[in-house]
Amino acid sequence: PSTITMSTTKFAKPQRHFSIALLEEHSFVIGLTVRLILMYVLPRLMDDGLLLQGVRYTDIDYDVFTDAAEHIAHGRSPYARHTYRYTPFLAKFLALPLDHKLDGNGFSFQSSLLSTKYFGKFLFCIADAICGYIIALLRRRQRASSSSDTQQPSQTQQPLQK
């Protein structure tokens, strides 16, 4: 039987492939970019029926959120939408493009990417990426602290003397 031996030096750093290093160092930006692209492309393909007829990408709860935002923008309660059971802050936050349809220069939010159809999706993508970043950061800290615990010499506790 043949055996494979690998010589390693105590202080040698393993060589990482460039693309893996890029993913590790810029995972938040890459993840957010992929989410935003998919947020813009998939609803257009799925909801508008360009890819599959009758298959929706957007969850029904998002329709509830945007309907509640329209109620807020028109001065009504978000709970006027019969299935709305979320915080009114969310409806108010999603109503921001409706509250500011035109600015002083005549720019319309309705014609931009941040229309009511996509504004909430944009916010949810950013919130999702931030949550993922926080989870990854906490996991790295947890791994670092557990590896430092295993590297320190264990101290034996002396019994208390009375």
Side-chain angles (χ1 to χ4, degrees), residues 4-124:
I4 299 173
T5 59
M6 295 177 63
S7 64
T8 58
T9 311
K10 186 176 182 180
F11 300 105
K13 285 187 175 183
Q15 298 247 340
R16 296 189 314 178
H17 195 270
F18 176 73
S19 61
I20 293 172
L22 181 71
L23 286 174
E24 288 176 356
E25 293 173 12
H26 302 289
S27 60
F28 176 77
V29 174
I30 293 169
L32 180 60
T33 303
V34 168
R35 281 179 179 87
L36 291 175
I37 290 169
L38 290 175
M39 178 272 313
Y40 189 72
V41 172
L42 284 178
R44 290 182 183 267
L45 292 175
M46 302 291 281
D47 293 347
D48 296 341
L50 298 175
L51 191 61
L52 295 172
Q53 294 291 329
V55 177
R56 283 190 44 141
Y57 173 75
T58 303
D59 187 55
I60 193 69
D61 283 335
Y62 188 74
D63 293 335
V64 174
F65 295 148
T66 54
D67 288 349
E70 288 180 25
H71 283 289
I72 288 280
H74 292 98
R76 298 187 304 263
S77 168
Y79 300 106
R81 171 65 154 94
H82 68 282
T83 58
Y84 189 76
R85 56 191 173 275
Y86 309 97
T87 176
F89 175 75
L90 180 60
K92 181 65 177 167
F93 203 59
L94 294 178
L96 288 175
L98 293 172
D99 290 343
H100 302 90
K101 286 184 182 176
L102 293 175
D103 67 6
N105 299 324
F107 178 77
S108 172
F109 277 104
Q110 298 300 324
S111 63
S112 71
L113 176 64
L114 298 180
S115 68
T116 55
K117 184 175 182 179
Y118 295 104
F119 183 69
K121 293 177 185 182
F122 178 76
L123 291 177
F124 293 146

